[in-house]
């Protein structure tokens, strides 16, 4: 019997233009700039992210794929190149902090 790998995907909004509740002077209408997101757990050759999540994000107006993260530099950089993003993380925690 072959072991099954379960991947967990996480999206992070990478956008500092969204104001906090206590900053009413920085109103954000949601349409001014694209919403930038990062995806954790991408593989450029095989994954739900490649087949489903990335195409879904790309189909949305005003959403930009800005970063990807995997668990190794050897897979993070090819994933970033394959999906056309500049930011590649080999530590998923680095993307979300």
């Amino acid at each position: 019997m072959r072991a099954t790998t379960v991947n967990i995907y996480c999206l992070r909004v990478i956008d500092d233009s969204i104001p906090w509740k206590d900053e009413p002077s920085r109103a954000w209408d949601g349409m001014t700039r694209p919403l930038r997101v990062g995806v954790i757990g991408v593989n450029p050759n095989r994954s739900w992210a490649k087949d489903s999540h990335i195409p879904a994000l790309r189909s949305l107006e005003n959403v930009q794929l800005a970063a990807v993260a995997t668990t190794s530099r050897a897979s993070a950089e090819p994933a970033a190149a394959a999906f056309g993003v500049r930011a590649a993380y080999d530590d998923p925690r680095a993307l979300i902090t």
Side-chain angles (χ1 to χ4, degrees), residues 50-62:
K50 174 187 146 302
D51 296 333
S52 191
H53 303 308
I54 303 296
L57 287 169
R58 289 207 166 127
S59 73
L60 299 172
E61 287 186 38
N62 291 322

Side-chain angles (χ1 to χ4, degrees), residues 11-14 35-39 57 63-68 95:
L11 297 177
R12 175 187 177 219
V13 175
I14 305 172
L35 181 66
R36 298 172 57 227
V37 298
V39 180
L57 287 169
V63 174
Q64 175 188 13
L65 181 62
V68 295
L95 187 141

Side-chain angles (χ1 to χ4, degrees), residues 9 39-47 49-50 54 58 65-90 95:
Y9 300 98
V39 180
I40 295 172
V42 298
N43 183 311
N45 302 315
R46 55 172 169 59
S47 71
K50 174 187 146 302
I54 303 296
R58 289 207 166 127
L65 181 62
V68 295
T70 66
T71 56
S72 74
R73 180 60 55 190
S75 61
E77 290 175 354
F83 299 123
V85 298
R86 286 187 269 158
Y89 296 91
D90 58 359
L95 187 141

